[in-house]
Amino acid sequence: MSDNHGMKNLVLTINKLQENFKNLNVHMDIDLPQIAVVGIQSSGKSSVLEKFIGRDFLPRGSGIVTRRPLILQLITHTDEYAKFDHTEEVFRNFEKVQKEITQETDRVVGTNKGVSNIPIVLKVFSPNVLNLTLIDLPGMTKVPIGDQPQDIEHRIRSMILEFIKKETCLILAVTPATMDLANSEALKLAREVDPNGNRTIGVITKLDLMDKGTDAVEVLENRQFPLKRGYVGVVNRSQKDIDDKKDIKIAAKAELEFFKTHPSYRHLADRMGTDYLQRVLNKQLSEHILQNLPALREKLRKQHNALENEFKTTEVTSNVRLLNEIISKFKLDFRGELDGYGGSITKSDALTSGTEINRIYNEELRNEDFNLNFDEDSFREEVAITIRNTNGMYSNIFIPEKAFDKVVVTFINKMKEPCQKYVTKISSILQNNMISHTEKLSRHPELREELRKLIISHILEREALCKERMIEMIDEEMSYINKLHDDFKLIEEKEEQVESTGDEIERKFTHIGFLYLTTGRLSRAEKFWFVLTTNSLSWYKDDTEREVEGFVLLGNLKVTDHKGLNFRLIDNDGKNVYKDISTLRITCKSPDEAREWVDMLQSVGVGSFKNSTMRLNGNSPESSLWHVPGVMEPTKEVEKKGLKKVTNLLKPKHNFSNNKTSKNTRVDQQVEVIKNLVINYLEIVVKNTKDRIPKMITWLLITNVLNYMDHNLVAHFYENELVDYVMQKSQLEQQRIEKLHNMYKACKEALKIIDSVYGNMTKLTNDVK
Ligand SMILES: Nc1nc2c(ncn2[C@@H]2O[C@H](COP(=O)(O)OP(=O)(O)OP(=O)(O)O)[C@@H](O)[C@H]2O)c(=O)[nH]1
């Protein structure tokens, strides 16, 4: 057997690299050149490998025998022994090697004929071997036997493919001559990963078992299914030979004899047989290694540099700098998720915090009813009770404002809880966002815990404050019912709308108050139908309200206290209300009624006029204390008709009954009016609140938390001298660094090993040739 130093070095170099990575317990993503033996079950794979060594050392038996990949490193050596990777024991007796393989296979896969891709590594040192690394893989099978898993075929196929798909792997495709080469599973599989046949070497076994008169010459001469690396034919021991313990060396001689004497193969004899195959493989593996060496070296060099950089950073970076870097990155990610840019916006399975907040603001909040949905009947009942209670022992001819206030306030109060709910929601989003981004700090668990504690306590503090402010906001709404709110006038639009439906009763009771009153000097007094709404006082010819007689807007008006039956409306400057009427004096039928009208006017925002020098009523009612200008503009319709002077008080249009049960009692009517007013007013409050909530939460909670994180996090660790404590490396991190260190060492060592042969590349190339 021939060998040369260069080739020997190349295969050994790869073995050394393998060992180097294994010793340091490092899995490198580097594929070392190797030869994988592929074939169907019982095609003769093990027999070929055994013949390389000249020893019976592989387990034999029926069915599937090779159940874990066996990485077989053959090393030329003066002494003959074997050594496994999983044990320190040195084997000189090869029968024991056989047993150890079986035991080690069973240890991992069990005895149920299952398979595993965890390899067994066996080194065989011998003067009879050439340096070669081969991987014996489980034989392909179609049908599960015994309690083998049903997907055994698929499992074995994928295991084989896992090895042979690597470009650095040569494929030894073993096919028995007893089967048609066109159906060779080994060649089919090899073609899948090596369609041009660059890496595939064909081996034909069992040539001695071919039917008489047939031969495999066409295949062996590489004519039938040509492969770039060709075919080698071998004759192994038959089962009978094995059973008879036929010496393997004698079998090797018989093999040579077979080829030399066989009429079909005689001319090929020096290119056939196990011995020749071993030499071919050794040469081809060496060439293959040589071809792969530059790429391998380059890959190792890159990995070495990357590891060196990473390793250096871990070692060199000071705790302070690292803390700053970690916190900056954390803040960037946290903010990025909220703002929708930067950071780790890589989520595809869930909404980012920012999107979720946006959804809450723009969908949930928009549809929020603030617990204001009420049941019409119970609402009416409640309002009726409120009206009666607020009236106390007195009856009220106008809509009781206090009852309205009370009902509105009760409803607004219900909004507190939903308002606070939004604060809780956003606070949870912030907390979750924070937790998910601190999750990445597993290397520094102390830092992660401290950050979480710090930020959560701040978020909770701000949540509480924000909730307090929400309550205050609602309390403010409750403290002052703004009946002069611009939007509250919408009630008149509603009136008009209702009027157009012709529902007379409904329309009447959407007015705040109405009554026949008189105006002007008593001598010229006329009776008119007065209607008071939230912002105007109109008087009509009669209660059909078809012909308007007079109209004033109430804005900027004041009302005097009533004196007896009378009260007056004056403008802000103390001037007359209407130019044609020197004073708008209104006379009621009783002092109580006059008092109620004054109250009513005040309740819709008409200020009270308390000037003691002012002469009201009586003696010279038309002699005005006020100048004409402060005129209220009449509507076009009023202008057209002109104003008439009015006198005398007429009875109220509706004869309100105190009977609780009768329909359209005064209370019923008032309830209806209040209901509309309440709904109208609540709409305003809800609109304001919906506008305020996101602003308050964003400012008081989100912006504040972001600012807090910007200014306080790093400072907190400095001030409390926690930097070194929180930057302690976790056990995991320490393991990672250790692993990194080992990889770095392994890589460095591997480069050294390669470089030791790399300098001699030209010589090696020549040697291999
Ligand atoms: N006559 C003859 N028998 C052979 C030859 N090669 C293998 N055999 C027999 O075929 C059977 C299977 O051989 P193995 O070498 O165990 O086949 P294998 O491919 O390793 O089998 P698995 O590991 O189960 O996949 C054994 O009984 C061998 O003796 C050969 O060239 N000639």
Side-chain angles (χ1 to χ4, degrees), residues 674-711:
I674 284 187
K675 189 191 92 181
N676 290 328
L677 291 175
V678 165
I679 291 171
N680 183 252
Y681 192 78
L682 286 177
E683 274 170 11
I684 297 166
V685 178
V686 165
K687 195 171 154 196
N688 286 348
T689 311
K690 285 188 176 178
D691 182 52
R692 293 288 303 142
I693 286 179
K695 291 174 180 167
M696 285 175 74
I697 296 180
T698 306
W699 175 244
L700 292 172
L701 188 60
I702 303 175
T703 311
N704 181 281
V705 168
L706 288 172
N707 285 342
Y708 172 82
M709 284 173 36
D710 274 346
H711 301 117

mmCIF file of all heavy atoms in Angstrom, residues 674-711:
data_model
loop_
_atom_site.group_PDB
_atom_site.id
_atom_site.type_symbol
_atom_site.label_atom_id
_atom_site.label_comp_id
_atom_site.label_asym_id
_atom_site.label_seq_id
_atom_site.Cartn_x
_atom_site.Cartn_y
_atom_site.Cartn_z
ATOM 1 N N ILE A 674 -86.806 67.556 30.678
ATOM 2 C CA ILE A 674 -85.501 67.335 31.317
ATOM 3 C C ILE A 674 -84.719 66.256 30.571
ATOM 4 O O ILE A 674 -83.525 66.369 30.350
ATOM 5 C CB ILE A 674 -85.697 66.959 32.802
ATOM 6 C CG1 ILE A 674 -86.056 68.234 33.558
ATOM 7 C CG2 ILE A 674 -84.422 66.342 33.379
ATOM 8 C CD1 ILE A 674 -86.129 68.091 35.038
ATOM 9 N N LYS A 675 -85.438 65.235 30.154
ATOM 10 C CA LYS A 675 -84.755 64.149 29.441
ATOM 11 C C LYS A 675 -84.012 64.711 28.229
ATOM 12 O O LYS A 675 -82.834 64.454 28.027
ATOM 13 C CB LYS A 675 -85.760 63.095 28.993
ATOM 14 C CG LYS A 675 -85.092 61.834 28.449
ATOM 15 C CD LYS A 675 -86.055 60.916 27.772
ATOM 16 C CE LYS A 675 -86.093 61.237 26.291
ATOM 17 N NZ LYS A 675 -87.038 60.407 25.549
ATOM 18 N N ASN A 676 -84.712 65.503 27.463
ATOM 19 C CA ASN A 676 -84.074 66.051 26.267
ATOM 20 C C ASN A 676 -82.910 66.961 26.605
ATOM 21 O O ASN A 676 -81.863 66.920 25.968
ATOM 22 C CB ASN A 676 -85.101 66.814 25.428
ATOM 23 C CG ASN A 676 -86.083 65.852 24.802
ATOM 24 O OD1 ASN A 676 -85.733 64.722 24.483
ATOM 25 N ND2 ASN A 676 -87.326 66.287 24.671
ATOM 26 N N LEU A 677 -83.136 67.740 27.648
ATOM 27 C CA LEU A 677 -82.053 68.640 28.054
ATOM 28 C C LEU A 677 -80.843 67.862 28.551
ATOM 29 O O LEU A 677 -79.701 68.175 28.215
ATOM 30 C CB LEU A 677 -82.543 69.584 29.165
ATOM 31 C CG LEU A 677 -83.563 70.617 28.742
ATOM 32 C CD1 LEU A 677 -84.054 71.388 29.955
ATOM 33 C CD2 LEU A 677 -82.945 71.584 27.734
ATOM 34 N N VAL A 678 -81.130 66.827 29.338
ATOM 35 C CA VAL A 678 -80.033 66.031 29.901
ATOM 36 C C VAL A 678 -79.237 65.382 28.780
ATOM 37 O O VAL A 678 -78.016 65.437 28.744
ATOM 38 C CB VAL A 678 -80.592 64.964 30.877
ATOM 39 C CG1 VAL A 678 -79.532 63.916 31.188
ATOM 40 C CG2 VAL A 678 -81.072 65.621 32.152
ATOM 41 N N ILE A 679 -79.974 64.775 27.847
ATOM 42 C CA ILE A 679 -79.277 64.105 26.735
ATOM 43 C C ILE A 679 -78.422 65.109 25.998
ATOM 44 O O ILE A 679 -77.245 64.872 25.698
ATOM 45 C CB ILE A 679 -80.290 63.444 25.770
ATOM 46 C CG1 ILE A 679 -80.942 62.261 26.490
ATOM 47 C CG2 ILE A 679 -79.632 63.003 24.478
ATOM 48 C CD1 ILE A 679 -82.099 61.647 25.741
ATOM 49 N N ASN A 680 -79.022 66.251 25.747
ATOM 50 C CA ASN A 680 -78.300 67.287 25.024
ATOM 51 C C ASN A 680 -77.058 67.727 25.779
ATOM 52 O O ASN A 680 -75.963 67.824 25.216
ATOM 53 C CB ASN A 680 -79.231 68.474 24.810
ATOM 54 C CG ASN A 680 -78.554 69.558 24.010
ATOM 55 O OD1 ASN A 680 -78.224 70.591 24.553
ATOM 56 N ND2 ASN A 680 -78.309 69.295 22.737
ATOM 57 N N TYR A 681 -77.231 67.922 27.063
ATOM 58 C CA TYR A 681 -76.094 68.413 27.845
ATOM 59 C C TYR A 681 -75.012 67.337 27.967
ATOM 60 O O TYR A 681 -73.824 67.615 27.845
ATOM 61 C CB TYR A 681 -76.550 68.870 29.237
ATOM 62 C CG TYR A 681 -75.445 69.644 29.923
ATOM 63 C CD1 TYR A 681 -75.195 70.973 29.582
ATOM 64 C CD2 TYR A 681 -74.620 69.032 30.845
ATOM 65 C CE1 TYR A 681 -74.151 71.672 30.159
ATOM 66 C CE2 TYR A 681 -73.569 69.727 31.429
ATOM 67 C CZ TYR A 681 -73.339 71.053 31.082
ATOM 68 O OH TYR A 681 -72.301 71.747 31.633
ATOM 69 N N LEU A 682 -75.482 66.075 28.173
ATOM 70 C CA LEU A 682 -74.499 64.994 28.324
ATOM 71 C C LEU A 682 -73.680 64.819 27.052
ATOM 72 O O LEU A 682 -72.501 64.481 27.089
ATOM 73 C CB LEU A 682 -75.187 63.678 28.693
ATOM 74 C CG LEU A 682 -75.692 63.605 30.135
ATOM 75 C CD1 LEU A 682 -76.410 62.289 30.376
ATOM 76 C CD2 LEU A 682 -74.555 63.771 31.148
ATOM 77 N N GLU A 683 -74.333 65.055 25.911
ATOM 78 C CA GLU A 683 -73.589 64.949 24.653
ATOM 79 C C GLU A 683 -72.398 65.896 24.655
ATOM 80 O O GLU A 683 -71.312 65.575 24.188
ATOM 81 C CB GLU A 683 -74.503 65.261 23.468
ATOM 82 C CG GLU A 683 -75.262 64.035 23.004
ATOM 83 C CD GLU A 683 -76.357 64.368 21.999
ATOM 84 O OE1 GLU A 683 -76.399 65.520 21.507
ATOM 85 O OE2 GLU A 683 -77.173 63.467 21.724
ATOM 86 N N ILE A 684 -72.647 67.069 25.208
ATOM 87 C CA ILE A 684 -71.558 68.059 25.268
ATOM 88 C C ILE A 684 -70.447 67.556 26.185
ATOM 89 O O ILE A 684 -69.260 67.589 25.837
ATOM 90 C CB ILE A 684 -72.085 69.409 25.801
ATOM 91 C CG1 ILE A 684 -73.129 69.962 24.840
ATOM 92 C CG2 ILE A 684 -70.954 70.397 26.003
ATOM 93 C CD1 ILE A 684 -73.936 71.097 25.412
ATOM 94 N N VAL A 685 -70.851 67.047 27.349
ATOM 95 C CA VAL A 685 -69.850 66.582 28.312
ATOM 96 C C VAL A 685 -69.068 65.402 27.738
ATOM 97 O O VAL A 685 -67.843 65.342 27.843
ATOM 98 C CB VAL A 685 -70.527 66.188 29.651
ATOM 99 C CG1 VAL A 685 -69.494 65.672 30.622
ATOM 100 C CG2 VAL A 685 -71.282 67.360 30.235
ATOM 101 N N VAL A 686 -69.776 64.476 27.097
ATOM 102 C CA VAL A 686 -69.107 63.298 26.531
ATOM 103 C C VAL A 686 -68.104 63.722 25.465
ATOM 104 O O VAL A 686 -66.974 63.256 25.413
ATOM 105 C CB VAL A 686 -70.152 62.309 25.949
ATOM 106 C CG1 VAL A 686 -69.496 61.285 25.042
ATOM 107 C CG2 VAL A 686 -70.885 61.613 27.084
ATOM 108 N N LYS A 687 -68.540 64.670 24.642
ATOM 109 C CA LYS A 687 -67.654 65.152 23.569
ATOM 110 C C LYS A 687 -66.383 65.753 24.175
ATOM 111 O O LYS A 687 -65.264 65.436 23.747
ATOM 112 C CB LYS A 687 -68.404 66.199 22.748
ATOM 113 C CG LYS A 687 -67.756 66.514 21.431
ATOM 114 C CD LYS A 687 -68.684 67.375 20.611
ATOM 115 C CE LYS A 687 -67.913 68.215 19.627
ATOM 116 N NZ LYS A 687 -68.683 69.299 19.077
ATOM 117 N N ASN A 688 -66.578 66.592 25.185
ATOM 118 C CA ASN A 688 -65.413 67.201 25.848
ATOM 119 C C ASN A 688 -64.518 66.136 26.442
ATOM 120 O O ASN A 688 -63.293 66.172 26.287
ATOM 121 C CB ASN A 688 -65.866 68.082 27.035
ATOM 122 C CG ASN A 688 -66.481 69.356 26.550
ATOM 123 O OD1 ASN A 688 -66.372 69.679 25.375
ATOM 124 N ND2 ASN A 688 -67.159 70.072 27.441
ATOM 125 N N THR A 689 -65.150 65.163 27.114
ATOM 126 C CA THR A 689 -64.372 64.144 27.822
ATOM 127 C C THR A 689 -63.600 63.280 26.841
ATOM 128 O O THR A 689 -62.438 62.955 27.059
ATOM 129 C CB THR A 689 -65.316 63.277 28.683
ATOM 130 O OG1 THR A 689 -66.150 64.157 29.423
ATOM 131 C CG2 THR A 689 -64.546 62.388 29.614
ATOM 132 N N LYS A 690 -64.247 62.915 25.734
ATOM 133 C CA LYS A 690 -63.554 62.090 24.739
ATOM 134 C C LYS A 690 -62.358 62.838 24.158
ATOM 135 O O LYS A 690 -61.374 62.239 23.749
ATOM 136 C CB LYS A 690 -64.505 61.672 23.620
ATOM 137 C CG LYS A 690 -65.451 60.578 24.057
ATOM 138 C CD LYS A 690 -66.266 60.035 22.917
ATOM 139 C CE LYS A 690 -67.124 58.872 23.411
ATOM 140 N NZ LYS A 690 -67.967 58.318 22.373
ATOM 141 N N ASP A 691 -62.483 64.122 24.103
ATOM 142 C CA ASP A 691 -61.370 64.920 23.597
ATOM 143 C C ASP A 691 -60.259 65.002 24.644
ATOM 144 O O ASP A 691 -59.081 64.975 24.320
ATOM 145 C CB ASP A 691 -61.895 66.326 23.261
ATOM 146 C CG ASP A 691 -60.806 67.201 22.682
ATOM 147 O OD1 ASP A 691 -60.163 66.740 21.719
ATOM 148 O OD2 ASP A 691 -60.591 68.311 23.205
ATOM 149 N N ARG A 692 -60.666 65.076 25.902
ATOM 150 C CA ARG A 692 -59.689 65.283 26.964
ATOM 151 C C ARG A 692 -58.907 64.012 27.315
ATOM 152 O O ARG A 692 -57.721 64.076 27.608
ATOM 153 C CB ARG A 692 -60.398 65.783 28.246
ATOM 154 C CG ARG A 692 -61.005 67.154 28.136
ATOM 155 C CD ARG A 692 -59.967 68.262 28.093
ATOM 156 N NE ARG A 692 -59.084 68.244 29.253
ATOM 157 C CZ ARG A 692 -57.790 68.510 29.188
ATOM 158 N NH1 ARG A 692 -57.237 68.796 28.033
ATOM 159 N NH2 ARG A 692 -57.045 68.479 30.267
ATOM 160 N N ILE A 693 -59.596 62.869 27.317
ATOM 161 C CA ILE A 693 -58.956 61.645 27.828
ATOM 162 C C ILE A 693 -57.608 61.340 27.153
ATOM 163 O O ILE A 693 -56.596 61.208 27.835
ATOM 164 C CB ILE A 693 -59.919 60.430 27.744
ATOM 165 C CG1 ILE A 693 -60.972 60.574 28.834
ATOM 166 C CG2 ILE A 693 -59.173 59.106 27.894
ATOM 167 C CD1 ILE A 693 -61.999 59.460 28.848
ATOM 168 N N PRO A 694 -57.551 61.242 25.807
ATOM 169 C CA PRO A 694 -56.257 60.907 25.205
ATOM 170 C C PRO A 694 -55.198 61.950 25.499
ATOM 171 O O PRO A 694 -54.028 61.633 25.667
ATOM 172 C CB PRO A 694 -56.538 60.837 23.705
ATOM 173 C CG PRO A 694 -57.974 61.036 23.531
ATOM 174 C CD PRO A 694 -58.599 61.419 24.809
ATOM 175 N N LYS A 695 -55.640 63.221 25.562
ATOM 176 C CA LYS A 695 -54.654 64.280 25.819
ATOM 177 C C LYS A 695 -54.079 64.117 27.224
ATOM 178 O O LYS A 695 -52.870 64.210 27.426
ATOM 179 C CB LYS A 695 -55.311 65.660 25.672
ATOM 180 C CG LYS A 695 -55.660 65.948 24.222
ATOM 181 C CD LYS A 695 -56.429 67.219 24.077
ATOM 182 C CE LYS A 695 -56.763 67.455 22.596
ATOM 183 N NZ LYS A 695 -57.753 68.483 22.408
ATOM 184 N N MET A 696 -54.974 63.883 28.177
ATOM 185 C CA MET A 696 -54.507 63.755 29.550
ATOM 186 C C MET A 696 -53.602 62.540 29.713
ATOM 187 O O MET A 696 -52.550 62.606 30.326
ATOM 188 C CB MET A 696 -55.705 63.637 30.502
ATOM 189 C CG MET A 696 -56.393 64.972 30.686
ATOM 190 S SD MET A 696 -57.872 64.808 31.674
ATOM 191 C CE MET A 696 -57.187 64.588 33.285
ATOM 192 N N ILE A 697 -54.046 61.403 29.138
ATOM 193 C CA ILE A 697 -53.242 60.179 29.313
ATOM 194 C C ILE A 697 -51.893 60.334 28.633
ATOM 195 O O ILE A 697 -50.859 59.978 29.177
ATOM 196 C CB ILE A 697 -53.983 58.942 28.763
ATOM 197 C CG1 ILE A 697 -55.254 58.702 29.580
ATOM 198 C CG2 ILE A 697 -53.091 57.718 28.798
ATOM 199 C CD1 ILE A 697 -56.077 57.508 29.150
ATOM 200 N N THR A 698 -51.910 60.906 27.415
ATOM 201 C CA THR A 698 -50.652 61.046 26.694
ATOM 202 C C THR A 698 -49.695 61.944 27.466
ATOM 203 O O THR A 698 -48.518 61.628 27.633
ATOM 204 C CB THR A 698 -50.899 61.593 25.270
ATOM 205 O OG1 THR A 698 -51.845 60.742 24.647
ATOM 206 C CG2 THR A 698 -49.631 61.640 24.454
ATOM 207 N N TRP A 699 -50.230 63.035 27.970
ATOM 208 C CA TRP A 699 -49.353 63.981 28.653
ATOM 209 C C TRP A 699 -48.942 63.486 30.038
ATOM 210 O O TRP A 699 -47.758 63.418 30.367
ATOM 211 C CB TRP A 699 -50.040 65.344 28.751
ATOM 212 C CG TRP A 699 -49.258 66.329 29.549
ATOM 213 C CD1 TRP A 699 -49.626 66.903 30.724
ATOM 214 C CD2 TRP A 699 -47.956 66.857 29.250
ATOM 215 N NE1 TRP A 699 -48.644 67.743 31.182
ATOM 216 C CE2 TRP A 699 -47.606 67.738 30.295
ATOM 217 C CE3 TRP A 699 -47.052 66.657 28.197
ATOM 218 C CZ2 TRP A 699 -46.385 68.420 30.320
ATOM 219 C CZ3 TRP A 699 -45.839 67.346 28.229
ATOM 220 C CH2 TRP A 699 -45.516 68.220 29.286
ATOM 221 N N LEU A 700 -49.943 63.106 30.821
ATOM 222 C CA LEU A 700 -49.649 62.777 32.215
ATOM 223 C C LEU A 700 -48.963 61.423 32.377
ATOM 224 O O LEU A 700 -48.199 61.230 33.305
ATOM 225 C CB LEU A 700 -50.943 62.766 33.045
ATOM 226 C CG LEU A 700 -51.616 64.117 33.231
ATOM 227 C CD1 LEU A 700 -52.973 63.957 33.892
ATOM 228 C CD2 LEU A 700 -50.737 65.037 34.079
ATOM 229 N N LEU A 701 -49.250 60.524 31.451
ATOM 230 C CA LEU A 701 -48.697 59.176 31.621
ATOM 231 C C LEU A 701 -47.586 58.879 30.602
ATOM 232 O O LEU A 701 -46.416 58.770 30.967
ATOM 233 C CB LEU A 701 -49.847 58.164 31.512
ATOM 234 C CG LEU A 701 -49.522 56.710 31.848
ATOM 235 C CD1 LEU A 701 -49.019 56.573 33.266
ATOM 236 C CD2 LEU A 701 -50.754 55.836 31.670
ATOM 237 N N ILE A 702 -47.972 58.827 29.324
ATOM 238 C CA ILE A 702 -46.998 58.353 28.324
ATOM 239 C C ILE A 702 -45.797 59.278 28.221
ATOM 240 O O ILE A 702 -44.647 58.860 28.373
ATOM 241 C CB ILE A 702 -47.667 58.179 26.939
ATOM 242 C CG1 ILE A 702 -48.854 57.222 27.056
ATOM 243 C CG2 ILE A 702 -46.672 57.675 25.919
ATOM 244 C CD1 ILE A 702 -49.675 57.047 25.806
ATOM 245 N N THR A 703 -46.074 60.562 27.951
ATOM 246 C CA THR A 703 -44.960 61.496 27.771
ATOM 247 C C THR A 703 -44.125 61.556 29.041
ATOM 248 O O THR A 703 -42.886 61.569 28.984
ATOM 249 C CB THR A 703 -45.500 62.908 27.437
ATOM 250 O OG1 THR A 703 -46.445 62.753 26.397
ATOM 251 C CG2 THR A 703 -44.409 63.850 27.027
ATOM 252 N N ASN A 704 -44.807 61.545 30.164
ATOM 253 C CA ASN A 704 -44.067 61.642 31.410
ATOM 254 C C ASN A 704 -43.162 60.426 31.608
ATOM 255 O O ASN A 704 -42.004 60.566 32.007
ATOM 256 C CB ASN A 704 -45.057 61.759 32.583
ATOM 257 C CG ASN A 704 -44.340 61.890 33.887
ATOM 258 O OD1 ASN A 704 -43.871 60.903 34.430
ATOM 259 N ND2 ASN A 704 -44.220 63.123 34.375
ATOM 260 N N VAL A 705 -43.691 59.228 31.302
ATOM 261 C CA VAL A 705 -42.873 58.017 31.488
ATOM 262 C C VAL A 705 -41.661 58.059 30.548
ATOM 263 O O VAL A 705 -40.540 57.726 30.941
ATOM 264 C CB VAL A 705 -43.728 56.743 31.253
ATOM 265 C CG1 VAL A 705 -42.855 55.509 31.142
ATOM 266 C CG2 VAL A 705 -44.728 56.575 32.381
ATOM 267 N N LEU A 706 -41.893 58.517 29.314
ATOM 268 C CA LEU A 706 -40.765 58.595 28.378
ATOM 269 C C LEU A 706 -39.718 59.590 28.882
ATOM 270 O O LEU A 706 -38.515 59.315 28.858
ATOM 271 C CB LEU A 706 -41.255 59.003 26.983
ATOM 272 C CG LEU A 706 -42.039 57.922 26.223
ATOM 273 C CD1 LEU A 706 -42.634 58.487 24.946
ATOM 274 C CD2 LEU A 706 -41.147 56.729 25.902
ATOM 275 N N ASN A 707 -40.189 60.725 29.364
ATOM 276 C CA ASN A 707 -39.254 61.719 29.893
ATOM 277 C C ASN A 707 -38.520 61.170 31.111
ATOM 278 O O ASN A 707 -37.313 61.361 31.268
ATOM 279 C CB ASN A 707 -39.987 62.999 30.309
ATOM 280 C CG ASN A 707 -40.391 63.795 29.090
ATOM 281 O OD1 ASN A 707 -39.849 63.576 27.995
ATOM 282 N ND2 ASN A 707 -41.350 64.694 29.240
ATOM 283 N N TYR A 708 -39.266 60.485 31.934
ATOM 284 C CA TYR A 708 -38.662 59.909 33.132
ATOM 285 C C TYR A 708 -37.543 58.949 32.730
ATOM 286 O O TYR A 708 -36.450 58.974 33.281
ATOM 287 C CB TYR A 708 -39.736 59.165 33.931
ATOM 288 C CG TYR A 708 -39.178 58.380 35.092
ATOM 289 C CD1 TYR A 708 -38.897 59.004 36.303
ATOM 290 C CD2 TYR A 708 -38.920 57.011 34.972
ATOM 291 C CE1 TYR A 708 -38.363 58.288 37.365
ATOM 292 C CE2 TYR A 708 -38.390 56.294 36.022
ATOM 293 C CZ TYR A 708 -38.115 56.930 37.214
ATOM 294 O OH TYR A 708 -37.581 56.219 38.257
ATOM 295 N N MET A 709 -37.853 58.112 31.730
ATOM 296 C CA MET A 709 -36.846 57.141 31.308
ATOM 297 C C MET A 709 -35.629 57.846 30.709
ATOM 298 O O MET A 709 -34.498 57.413 30.913
ATOM 299 C CB MET A 709 -37.456 56.169 30.295
ATOM 300 C CG MET A 709 -38.334 55.155 31.005
ATOM 301 S SD MET A 709 -39.285 54.050 29.956
ATOM 302 C CE MET A 709 -38.259 53.745 28.604
ATOM 303 N N ASP A 710 -35.888 58.935 30.008
ATOM 304 C CA ASP A 710 -34.767 59.668 29.401
ATOM 305 C C ASP A 710 -33.826 60.237 30.451
ATOM 306 O O ASP A 710 -32.622 60.248 30.277
ATOM 307 C CB ASP A 710 -35.306 60.817 28.524
ATOM 308 C CG ASP A 710 -35.609 60.312 27.131
ATOM 309 O OD1 ASP A 710 -35.154 59.194 26.818
ATOM 310 O OD2 ASP A 710 -36.313 60.996 26.378
ATOM 311 N N HIS A 711 -34.405 60.728 31.523
ATOM 312 C CA HIS A 711 -33.576 61.484 32.470
ATOM 313 C C HIS A 711 -33.198 60.749 33.747
ATOM 314 O O HIS A 711 -32.284 61.166 34.436
ATOM 315 C CB HIS A 711 -34.277 62.797 32.839
ATOM 316 C CG HIS A 711 -34.529 63.644 31.625
ATOM 317 N ND1 HIS A 711 -35.782 63.978 31.206
ATOM 318 C CD2 HIS A 711 -33.665 64.170 30.714
ATOM 319 C CE1 HIS A 711 -35.697 64.698 30.095
ATOM 320 N NE2 HIS A 711 -34.425 64.817 29.776
#
